[in-house]
Amino acid sequence: MKWVASRVRDIGHPDYHQTLHFDVYRSIGLEFGLDPLKVFDFITEVSDAVPEFILNIESPADFGSTQAQFDNYAQIVSTLDARSSHARIVVDARVIKLSGPKLTLLAITTSWCGGRVPTLSG
């Protein structure tokens, strides 16, 4: 993370404000025993190491079921928001297999929901 941030600083224009996006493939949850507060603590520690960047963390954990995914991600995101963190949680909708209103609600409670991009044609 620090290396990527350093490279962006080194080669980017001073007015260029990059968002760093890392898909961690559920590895944070595996490392911390699926404890949402430990996942939050780690994400916060990482984001604090690169405070000038918005940090997107995609798929930090797989909590086993759709309901557990929803509940735990909502807890992590609300804690990040309460702390005014510049870290964001990104959810891959293909993993959690939601659609319709539930997907919309998850997208609102998390920072961004990837994997289902509408195709627009004219």
Side-chain angles (χ1 to χ4, degrees):
M1 181 78 56
K2 289 181 183 180
W3 181 86
V4 171
S6 176
R7 289 294 295 152
V8 170
R9 281 187 224 103
D10 290 347
I11 63 176
H13 188 276
D15 294 331
Y16 180 61
H17 300 287
Q18 179 66 39
T19 296
L20 303 180
H21 183 108
F22 295 90
D23 188 340
V24 296
Y25 300 97
R26 301 169 300 281
S27 60
I28 298 171
L30 293 173
E31 180 66 24
F32 295 104
L34 297 178
D35 181 328
L37 292 178
K38 289 181 180 178
V39 171
F40 159 78
D41 286 340
F42 179 77
I43 292 170
T44 300
E45 181 181 330
V46 170
S47 68
D48 287 349
V50 290
E52 69 274 27
F53 296 97
I54 293 173
L55 178 65
N56 287 340
I57 301 293
E58 183 172 346
S59 301
D62 181 349
F63 292 102
S65 70
T66 299
Q67 188 63 50
Q69 202 72 348
F70 182 86
D71 293 343
N72 287 297
Y73 274 11
Q75 180 182 3
I76 292 167
V77 170
S78 66
T79 308
L80 287 169
D81 288 346
R83 191 177 180 276
S84 300
S85 174
H86 57 275
R88 302 290 177 253
I89 302 300
V90 178
V91 176
D92 186 339
R94 292 172 296 189
V95 173
I96 55 171
K97 299 187 179 14
L98 292 178
S99 61
K102 288 183 178 180
L103 178 62
T104 302
L105 186 57
L106 184 64
I108 291 168
T109 59
T110 59
S111 303
W112 183 76
C113 202
R116 293 191 183 178
V117 179
T119 302
L120 303 176
S121 59

